[in-house]
Amino acid sequence: MSSPAPSSRSGPENCGLEIFWDERLISYDFGPGHPMNPVRVELTMALARELGVLERPNVTVSGFEAADDKLLRLVHEEGYIAAVKQAGATGAPDPRHGLGTADNPVFPGMHEASALVAGASVAAAEAVWTGRAEHAANISGGLHHALSGGASGFCVYNDPAIAIAWLLDNGAERVGYVDIDVHHGDGVQAAFYDDPRVLTISLHETPRTLFPGTGFPDEIGADGTSVNISLPPGTGDALWLRAFDAIIPPLLRRFRPDVLVTQHGADAHALDPLAHLTLSVDGQRTAYGLLHRLAHETAGGRWVATGGGGYELVQVVPRAWTHLLAEAAGGPIPPDTPTPEGWREFARQRTDQVAPLRMTDGTDEIRISRWAGGYDPGNPIDQAILATRRAVFPEHGLDPMTD
């Protein structure tokens, strides 16, 4: 397979979407009290089903196979894979490989659950690359912190990196990866730091205040293909979207990837307990629409979307990722849509929490202040944007001040 299948449509309306889902994905579970509770994925799929997203005629929900060792070795060391299997089978920690820490406790069947997540992302990449689906999604994926030889930050196997490596092995010449999780996508960056075929762009809270402590603008990789946009705590919708707009579209337009892979951690939301940005669900929803249009504009419509972080399990993640799935299907959900009563009751039964009443946080439309309109050298957001543009734009033949 040496070239991508042609896209069947030119725009983001009524796109074909294949969602890879299996109830066994909720077995990726670090145990009671851990922030990454799989109920967030369960509630997302339930909300998407109740709102009719999964039943749309252009949406397919498909099964898949767990990633085998050959696929995992595209990114991970053989010794690490063996260590994950051993830890999951015996329950014994292995600190050398990041297993059994507070972030990554060992749980029974850890390898099988993690390989299942990776398999779903590879299946999504294959569906898009072969042309079977225009867009594909694995909301249980986006485990972007896992490194070649160790677990990190709630992530055991790095499914986005494995999916990208699969694409490269199957003929993709350029892959674009955009990560809008509040945390730096360090594992994906590390996997392709010296590979100019992969453009990784991470938009995150500054590593000065947040795990994993990487993702500064001067981490530019091969030919400027590692891009890091590092924003201060408190950044909200309008300025976050200004940073997005000032950096991501120009670079994707210049790079022209064969496929766009995106990670949609919902933890930049104001209610997330582990971070300090202040986005709303509406700001997140706006970003999904921008990425969808960029997939059509720059990658022939070939788009693979994953989940990621997000630890406000009821108020944020299910609504955010349901918006993502609806957007990928080409039919966004109107923000003022009520959440179904049946879903709210299911959320109460599963979490003993009161679920939100609507699919909006109350901000229906967010105006994006464009970089071309001028910048404020005293504004911390504009300082962060300019630091990234100066670091990488010249590597792509772009002017940091004007392009």
Side-chain angles (χ1 to χ4, degrees):
M1 215 178 298
S2 61
S3 60
S7 175
S8 60
R9 301 179 180 86
S10 60
E13 297 80 23
N14 297 314
C15 304
L17 170 65
E18 190 164 4
I19 301 169
F20 290 88
W21 172 247
D22 187 309
E23 295 288 344
R24 293 177 297 161
L25 286 166
I26 63 174
S27 66
Y28 190 86
D29 186 354
F30 290 109
H34 193 280
M36 198 166 188
N37 189 323
V39 75
R40 68 200 188 119
V41 178
E42 185 181 8
L43 290 178
T44 298
M45 292 301 290
L47 180 57
R49 186 174 292 108
E50 289 266 357
L51 286 173
V53 176
L54 307 187
E55 283 70 42
R56 293 181 185 180
N58 60 326
V59 173
T60 303
V61 180
S62 298
F64 54 92
E65 298 295 326
D68 60 18
D69 287 8
K70 181 179 179 181
L71 280 173
L72 298 175
R73 286 197 300 268
L74 292 174
V75 169
H76 296 289
E77 298 168 5
E78 189 167 359
Y80 173 58
I81 298 168
V84 174
K85 292 178 179 178
Q86 178 74 5
T90 66
D94 184 350
R96 292 178 307 149
H97 293 101
L99 301 168
T101 65
D103 276 1
N104 291 87
V106 171
F107 62 90
M110 173 180 274
H111 165 75
E112 291 76 11
S114 304
L116 201 66
V117 175
S121 289
V122 172
E126 182 177 9
V128 168
W129 186 246
T130 59
R132 190 177 77 239
E134 190 168 19
H135 307 327
N138 170 25
I139 61 161
S140 72
L143 306 181
H144 61 167
H145 293 308
L147 302 171
S148 61
S152 178
F154 314 162
C155 306
V156 178
Y157 295 140
N158 195 317
D159 63 284
I162 295 167
I164 291 169
W166 183 92
L167 287 163
L168 295 174
D169 264 15
N170 283 271
E173 297 180 357
R174 295 177 310 283
V175 178
Y177 173 74
V178 177
D179 187 320
I180 59 173
D181 194 289
V182 78
H183 302 90
H184 176 227
D186 59 332
V188 182
Q189 174 178 288
F192 304 106
Y193 197 68
D194 298 316
D195 191 337
R197 299 175 298 170
V198 182
L199 174 69
T200 64
I201 306 176
S202 180
L203 176 60
H204 49 263
E205 182 179 331
T206 173
R208 299 185 189 281
T209 57
L210 195 66
F211 175 90
T214 57
F216 290 99
D218 62 357
E219 298 170 31
I220 66 170
D223 302 327
T225 52
S226 289
V227 180
N228 290 290
I229 313 159
S230 168
L231 299 177
T235 303
D237 289 333
L239 292 176
W240 186 92
L241 287 165
R242 174 174 169 81
F244 180 112
D245 181 71
I247 294 169
I248 296 173
L251 289 172
L252 286 178
R253 288 169 184 146
R254 182 57 58 97
F255 190 71
R256 304 297 299 183
D258 295 327
V259 182
L260 180 63
V261 178
T262 55
Q263 196 267 20
H264 297 268
D267 42 8
H269 194 280
L271 295 180
D272 195 89
L274 300 188
H276 317 97
L277 299 190
T278 57
L279 269 65
S280 68
V281 165
D282 304 286
Q284 293 170 323
R285 172 180 53 80
T286 301
Y288 306 157
L290 295 173
L291 287 168
H292 188 183
R293 289 190 285 277
L294 283 167
H296 284 275
E297 179 184 350
T298 70
R302 290 172 290 274
W303 182 23
V304 178
T306 71
Y311 310 102
E312 212 319 310
L313 307 174
V314 178
Q315 303 301 316
V316 176
V317 176
R319 290 187 299 157
W321 290 350
T322 296
H323 277 303
L324 172 63
L325 294 176
E327 175 63 51
I333 295 169
D336 61 354
T337 300
T339 56
E341 183 178 352
W343 177 78
R344 296 198 301 272
E345 176 59 22
F346 178 61
R348 187 194 64 78
Q349 292 173 2
R350 293 291 290 113
T351 67
D352 201 30
Q353 293 187 34
V354 177
L357 295 176
R358 295 190 177 275
M359 293 295 290
T360 179
D361 283 339
T363 307
D364 289 350
E365 185 175 353
I366 301 161
R367 291 176 57 88
I368 301 175
S369 174
R370 310 283 180 185
W371 185 259
Y375 76 100
D376 178 358
N379 184 294
I381 307 299
D382 281 7
Q383 292 171 6
I385 293 170
L386 189 56
T388 299
R389 289 173 65 103
R390 282 177 168 161
V392 297
F393 271 36
E395 298 285 338
H396 297 268
L398 297 170
D399 188 320
M401 304 306 297
T402 60
D403 286 333

